Amino acid sequence: MDFIREIEKLKAEKNAVILAHYYQTGDIQDIADFVGDSLALSQKAASTSAGIILFAGVKFMAETAKILSPQKKVLLPDMDAGCSLADSCNADDFKRFIAQNPGRTVVTYVNTSAEIKMLSDIVCTSSNAIQIVESLPAGEKIIFAPDRNLGNFILNKTGRDIVVWNGACHVHEEFSLEAILRLQKENPGAKVLAHPECELPVRMIADFIGSTAAMLQYSTADGANRYIVATEAGIIHQMRKTNPRKVFIPAPPKDSTCGCSECNFMKLVTVEKIYNCLANELPEIKLAGDIISKARKPINRMLDISKNINP
Ligand code: 13P
Ligand code: SF4
């Protein structure tokens, strides 16, 4: 079966839109109506006029789309597409953490379950984390969760009083500093781009630190022609499409048996699963009304502050 042609037909018949994260495989990015980072995808989910949103990404992203567009049907092609970072922060433990650190504003990265968002004052993504923290009054004490690397990155950039939850992403913590240094030697003039979820030694040698969208923008505007990319390798598809004359090299993980770092959760989604999901309108994201209304407040607070970032 020509899945791509069938997906196009189903999209038109059902007034459906496909939103894909930059960590999806190239074939999925190419059939999506919109490809973006976590912030841009949540902005799109909030503004689309389609009746069905098929999310080619992971569960917390599809849940965020459902929270922002509760009247729409939100589909996720594989319900096992989770996130090790979101899993590193469970709601009962986080409630205890908040109780142990009273009087602090709770800022959470969007990579969390809906339950964690319900416990948050404001959400952020890696595109706007600094802007969100700086929007809070000076002197306000903050809890940041769940990513310890992004949390420490924000703490160092803003100098704010932040207590950081000890969570991490298994993909971004796996980059090998030694392998990146070796690649730098082999590729003189190559710049290192790193996601803020990377560990400190990788962030320290990076020429640029930013979200997936920010890395793409930087490599497009920048004058170098070679980049070592320390984030999930899916983004390289867009980088090469946008900059066909430049060379993009995936940063290798510590486990040298595989050449680049892929998120096993993101890669659960396939073109065939997207076809089945659209055809059957399953699996569908379902969230109770009170979860949606409580989790929406901190996300909307972020979207109001971030109106001027991304399309
Ligand atoms: P961004 O798309 O915000 O850069 O996030 C990366 C990520 O890890 C999403 O899971
Ligand atoms: Fe989660 Fe890391 Fe995968 Fe992003 S790359 S979805 S943070 S496990």
Side-chain angles (χ1 to χ4, degrees):
M1 186 189 295
D2 182 346
F3 287 118
I4 294 179
R5 220 183 50 209
E6 295 303 315
I7 288 169
E8 285 303 330
K9 273 203 234 155
L10 285 170
K11 271 199 315 190
E13 268 168 43
K14 295 179 182 239
N15 183 26
V17 71
I18 299 181
L19 306 184
H21 190 267
Y22 287 130
Y23 294 164
Q24 293 291 292
T25 52
D27 52 356
I28 293 176
Q29 293 187 38
D30 291 345
I31 56 163
D33 297 284
F34 182 78
V35 188
D37 71 346
S38 308
L39 175 63
L41 289 168
S42 55
Q43 288 168 325
K44 273 281 162 199
S47 66
T48 178
S49 58
I52 296 179
I53 298 173
L54 184 142
F55 218 108
V58 292
K59 197 169 174 194
F60 77 81
M61 295 179 172
E63 281 186 351
T64 304
K66 183 69 186 173
I67 291 164
L68 289 167
S69 290
Q71 71 291 358
K72 297 192 174 133
K73 195 174 252 194
V74 177
L75 306 173
L76 179 66
D78 192 321
M79 277 295 173
D80 288 333
C83 168
S84 60
L85 177 54
D87 289 346
S88 69
C89 189
N90 109 5
D92 287 337
D93 294 341
F94 194 50
K95 274 185 208 156
R96 267 193 294 279
F97 188 70
I98 294 172
Q100 283 158 5
N101 293 282
R104 288 179 178 264
T105 300
V106 179
V107 181
T108 56
Y109 194 31
V110 70
N111 301 42
T112 56
S113 64
E115 286 80 6
I116 297 293
K117 291 186 177 74
M118 288 165 70
L119 301 170
S120 307
D121 295 302
I122 188 160
V123 166
C124 71
T125 74
S126 49
S127 284
N128 61 16
I130 304 279
Q131 187 197 22
I132 296 294
V133 166
E134 286 182 338
S135 75
L136 301 173
E140 196 157 312
K141 292 176 190 280
I142 296 164
I143 285 174
F144 182 83
D147 191 73
R148 59 184 171 226
N149 297 307
L150 177 61
N152 287 319
F153 173 72
I154 302 167
L155 192 154
N156 289 331
K157 284 269 176 203
T158 63
R160 295 295 184 101
D161 180 344
I162 308 178
V163 175
V164 179
W165 176 267
N166 192 22
C169 156
H170 72 299
V171 178
H172 287 91
E173 287 220 322
E174 267 313 296
F175 291 112
S176 157
L177 178 66
E178 291 69 27
I180 296 175
L181 292 173
R182 198 171 47 246
L183 277 176
Q184 268 185 316
K185 267 202 188 139
E186 289 163 10
N187 294 275
K191 285 191 174 173
V192 176
L193 311 177
H195 197 277
E197 289 174 29
C198 293
E199 289 178 318
L200 181 62
V202 172
R203 297 201 310 274
M204 279 175 69
I205 58 146
D207 296 282
F208 178 78
I209 301 168
S211 70
T212 48
M215 280 190 236
L216 179 59
Q217 274 163 18
Y218 178 89
S219 61
T220 303
D222 182 61
N225 62 11
R226 246 165 220 265
Y227 299 88
I228 299 160
V229 183
T231 192
E232 212 273 359
I235 182 68
I236 291 179
H237 177 70
Q238 277 313 311
M239 288 173 164
R240 288 181 180 147
K241 258 178 105 171
T242 313
N243 304 284
R245 285 170 205 275
K246 296 189 177 185
V247 177
F248 296 94
I249 306 158
K254 288 169 194 151
D255 169 7
S256 59
T257 54
C258 49
C260 63
S261 285
E262 292 200 322
C263 172
N264 50 315
F265 298 111
M266 283 279 179
K267 267 36 187 196
L268 280 177
V269 181
T270 62
V271 171
E272 186 172 352
K273 284 185 198 171
I274 290 177
Y275 165 76
N276 287 324
C277 180
L278 259 189
N280 303 316
E281 298 185 19
L282 283 172
E284 182 185 352
I285 299 284
K286 301 250 190 201
L287 290 172
D290 62 323
I291 296 184
I292 289 178
S293 58
K294 284 191 192 138
R296 189 164 33 195
K297 279 188 201 145
I299 304 174
N300 275 340
R301 205 172 148 194
M302 165 187 84
L303 292 178
D304 284 345
I305 293 170
S306 296
K307 274 191 188 121
N308 300 324
I309 306 185
N310 281 341

